Amino acid sequence: MLRLAAASLVGTAIEFYDFFVYGTAAALVLGPLYFPTVSPLAGTLAAFGTFGAGFVARPLGSVFFGHIGDRRGRRPVLIMSLLLTGIATVAVGLVPTYATIGVAAPALLVVLRFAQGFGVGGEWGGAVLITAEHAPAGRRALWSSLPQIGPPVGFLIANGITLTLSATLTDAQFRSWGWRVPFWFAGVLAVGGLLLRARLSETPQFRELADRGDRAEAPFAEVVRGHWRLVLLTAGGLAVAYALYYAITTWSLAYATERLGVDRTVMLGCIMAAVSASALVTPVFAYLGDRYGRRPLCLAGCAAVALWAVPLIALLHTGRPLCMVLGFLVATLAFTTMFAVVAAYLPELYEPRVRCTGAAVGYNLAGVLGGAVTPLVATATARGDGPPWGVAAYLTALALLGLGCFALLPETRPATAEGPLAEAAPA
């Protein structure tokens, strides 16, 4: 079980490395390099627009790969999604700038970012189901939380490389070629991940479905007909988690460096400190999810975001590293409270025949609602010299939406330590 969960964690870290490295580049360099004909603010918005294209693609990828996962097995999804995302990420690092090929440059960015998102849309469902469907019921949230550590680890690797390059290269060197290195490194990581995942076995529950001939013919159609309410509620509930995470890791990086004059290296260090804490406490919150239930932790996380949104923005606006780290740290703990248990919670809401599609679509649709538009909304509302209270209001509104959605969802924690995943809750 440990080897299987570790393989899922490593693969998820690699795929989300690919996804996050683009967000960092969008915040730091893509605007002037690929959108030089507009103002700096408009260039940042345009760069974040290409960033959002990856989120728009994620639900589409979850439908495509979810179909494969529910029809052909969870394991093929892990191989195909990692291969697609890795190729697209390396290609981003090869795209010439606007000065070289004109409007074709930003167009290529959009296409490749879309391909990245399409692959990541399939990654999450396959990775968490490989773990969740092998795990014992009484420790399902704990084991399923290991793939959830992958995104923070991927973020730390992506930003660690960027931080090293930023600290060792001149600004001209970084903007000329240094920012491309993390994209090229994705190819090395993808090869390692593919070798590791090739050794994974299919889950017992899918093998049982296949033996019984009970696989869904059209998984997405079944989800839309029978579980649409679950999809909308999970998407609405998790939107705040995405919004908060990308407000910290992407928007705040651009805001602090461009508006507050904070050094790029200092800002990356502040964000990485908070994300590191998130990775460390994920198993702790997952253990609490096994002990007290999935829904209570999701409700607690939403409430914490609603209470902390204003202090977060106030601390960020100081531009002082210790204040920003404090703001980010509490915010990421609120995010992790939800994030640690959803890898068990969402699969448990769906019956096995449509589990890969249903869980992945709800999870990735939340990414569109929260992750895709957050840097755009935050950048557009953060005007003037005062603190960007519009961002705090936006996060608070999504937190209240999340509270309402999770309140309407059922609890799924198994009553005993034995037995299969919970059957589908009423839709």
Side-chain angles (χ1 to χ4, degrees), residues 36 58-60 91 131 142 175 178 181-182 187 200 211 231 263 341 387:
R58 283 176 65 164
L60 300 177
T131 307
L142 180 60
R175 292 179 178 274
V181 174
L200 295 179
D211 291 342
V231 171
D263 181 76
V341 298

Side-chain angles (χ1 to χ4, degrees), residues 255-276:
Y255 177 79
T257 55
E258 295 175 7
R259 298 287 299 279
L260 304 179
V262 179
D263 181 76
R264 179 174 60 210
T265 302
V266 171
M267 196 61 196
L268 285 170
C270 291
I271 296 171
M272 290 174 66
V275 175
S276 298

Side-chain angles (χ1 to χ4, degrees), residues 222-234 350 365 427:
E222 287 194 27
V223 168
V224 171
R225 286 196 306 267
H227 306 289
W228 60 270
R229 182 173 177 269
L230 288 179
V231 171
L232 294 180
L233 287 175
T234 52
Y350 296 90
L365 186 58

Side-chain angles (χ1 to χ4, degrees), residues 393-416:
Y394 173 69
L395 293 174
T396 302
L398 286 180
L400 295 176
L401 172 65
L403 278 171
C405 289
F406 283 123
L408 294 173
L409 284 169
E411 179 55 65
T412 61
R413 181 174 66 95
T416 67

